[in-house]
Amino acid sequence: MIECEGLVKIYKTDDLEVVALQGLNLSVKDGELMAIIGNSGSGKSTLLNILGGLDHPSAGSVHVGPWDLLKITEEQLVKYKRETVGFIWQNNARNLLPYLSALENVEMPMMLRGKVDRAYSRQLLEWVGLKERMNNKLHQLSGGEQQRVAIAISLSNRPQMLLADEPTGSVDSRTSDMIMDIFRTLNRELGLTIVIVTHDLSLAGKVDRVVAIRDGLTSTEFLRRNTHLDDAEGFGKGGLQEVHEAYAVVDRAGRLQVPKEYLSALGIAGKASMEFDGERIIITKPKLLEGEQK
Ligand SMILES: Nc1ncnc2c1ncn2[C@@H]1O[C@H](COP(=O)(O)OP(=O)(O)OP(=O)(O)O)[C@@H](O)[C@H]1O
Ligand SMILES: [Mg+2]
């Protein structure tokens, strides 16, 4: 569904250049429910805005389904945004209208496209648990309820892919769990591909895969799988165990990013020795340099 390779985004302001993404690689399968985590400023929103067609990449390649987002024309982009993606913004005030009801808010984008489907709008609000509140004005709803209206709106165009920027950023943990449940249901029932951006590590356990980005690069990847055990450790035959595995991402050119903590623990800076013993690759502080320093 999503294929980014060497994706670069440079923001130019007056005399300053900010490299928000510096050659990011990411691949997301159709029907996946995954999260992207990273610190503030690591490039998460930048990536999501590019995937959502709201921002143009500077270099590299980015494909979503049949679309090449680097070569796409303005006209195709309108179609892409209308038909392929649903977007939940970091600051949802951007796509909600306070003096309209929840239902009217969901119908608004349909109205702009020229066809309102009331039954579907009601269904969407039911899915996000707002059946009883659909005729309330937006400003009469709590922050968490408004966030759920935003989810319903993002689905109004029946997208294939949902992009959510910090969807649980400003809600309590109960509402956050509820929102994650909604995502899981949409993913399972509609086969929707969902990419969630967050800096909340606790969400990691609630999706299939987590990709960490650091300084505009994919650094590590965590997978969560339910593995069938053959009665190895008393789980019974065919029992399920949840397995978490963390990976460093190796790009096409064979580069991998070593966490800063590992490097500083070994005092590695600038250069490292690398040995291959037939099974493992061992990275150490260069021996000659060590000698020099003595
Ligand atoms: N429109 C812009 N013009 C200039 N620089 C920008 C612009 N948008 C983002 N940046 C810069 O790009 C970098 C990545 O920003 P981005 O918004 O993608 O981070 P983020 O990971 O979403 O952070 P947060 O968790 O705080 O939302 C930051 O250094 C930011 O200052
Ligand atoms: Mg952001």
Side-chain angles (χ1 to χ4, degrees):
M1 188 78 198
I2 301 172
E3 204 64 59
C4 298
E5 242 186 79
L7 185 58
V8 174
K9 176 67 190 181
I10 300 170
Y11 288 109
K12 290 196 182 79
T13 49
D14 302 335
D15 49 2
L16 201 72
E17 277 195 0
V18 181
V19 185
L21 299 177
Q22 44 179 333
L24 181 129
N25 298 313
L26 176 74
S27 148
V28 180
K29 286 199 206 81
D30 194 11
E32 228 186 315
L33 169 63
M34 60 95 64
I36 293 171
I37 58 166
N39 292 334
S40 181
S42 58
K44 303 181 301 295
S45 295
T46 303
L47 172 63
L48 220 60
N49 287 341
I50 290 175
L51 293 176
L54 306 170
D55 214 338
H56 197 74
S58 307
S61 82
V62 46
H63 289 85
V64 179
W67 305 99
D68 179 341
L69 297 188
L70 219 77
K71 302 212 177 98
I72 200 165
T73 64
E74 282 304 314
E75 212 174 309
Q76 289 171 326
L77 198 60
V78 172
K79 198 169 143 65
Y80 170 75
K81 284 193 272 189
R82 198 175 274 180
E83 294 172 6
T84 310
V85 270
F87 211 101
I88 298 163
W89 276 281
Q90 186 159 9
N91 173 5
N92 71 41
R94 240 173 102 172
N95 53 352
L96 298 181
L97 301 159
Y99 294 103
L100 294 184
S101 71
L103 188 61
E104 286 163 340
N105 265 278
V106 175
E107 288 176 347
M108 184 55 84
M110 296 179 177
M111 195 134 59
L112 297 176
R113 281 190 299 271
K115 191 174 178 292
V116 174
D117 184 341
R118 170 134 312 174
Y120 183 57
S121 306
R122 298 177 79 94
Q123 157 110 80
L124 285 175
L125 285 161
E126 263 186 64
W127 273 338
V128 298
L130 291 173
K131 190 179 178 187
E132 315 298 330
R133 307 301 305 271
M134 57 176 82
N135 294 315
N136 280 89
K137 301 263 186 275
L138 246 282
H139 68 89
Q140 296 168 331
L141 300 180
S142 73
E145 287 164 345
Q146 291 186 20
Q147 189 62 326
R148 285 184 276 146
V149 174
I151 297 174
I153 293 175
S154 74
L155 296 168
S156 66
N157 59 343
R158 301 175 190 265
Q160 294 160 39
M161 173 173 91
L162 195 60
L163 303 174
D165 197 349
E166 298 278 4
T168 61
S170 51
V171 298
D172 62 17
S173 60
R174 213 185 108 245
T175 311
S176 163
D177 284 346
M178 189 189 282
I179 289 175
M180 287 308 295
D181 281 340
I182 294 169
F183 285 148
R184 264 199 304 270
T185 310
L186 293 169
N187 171 253
R188 206 178 44 229
E189 304 287 323
L190 305 177
L192 205 60
T193 306
I194 304 180
V195 178
I196 301 165
V197 154
T198 180
H199 57 253
D200 182 1
L201 268 169
S202 70
L203 290 192
K206 296 169 182 160
V207 296
D208 305 329
R209 185 164 70 109
V210 178
V211 169
I213 73 175
R214 196 181 288 142
D215 306 327
L217 278 169
T218 16
S219 56
T220 38
E221 203 173 304
F222 308 86
L223 278 189
R224 190 175 63 108
R225 266 200 326 257
N226 286 322
T227 304
H228 289 273
L229 294 177
D230 288 329
D231 200 19
E233 282 145 65
F235 285 91
K237 234 184 168 57
L240 277 179
Q241 188 196 23
E242 212 175 80
V243 180
H244 295 260
E245 249 183 310
Y247 301 99
V249 176
V250 183
D251 74 11
R252 288 230 168 158
R255 284 176 294 230
L256 74 82
Q257 207 182 24
V258 182
K260 282 203 183 82
E261 312 87 81
Y262 294 7
L263 296 178
S264 58
L266 296 179
I268 296 176
K271 291 185 186 66
S273 291
M274 185 144 60
E275 281 167 58
F276 178 53
D277 71 358
E279 273 183 13
R280 292 172 303 169
I281 300 166
I282 303 153
I283 297 170
T284 48
K285 189 170 178 172
K287 297 203 172 56
L288 273 179
L289 290 182
E290 231 169 54
E292 266 168 30
Q293 278 161 4
K294 270 174 195 159

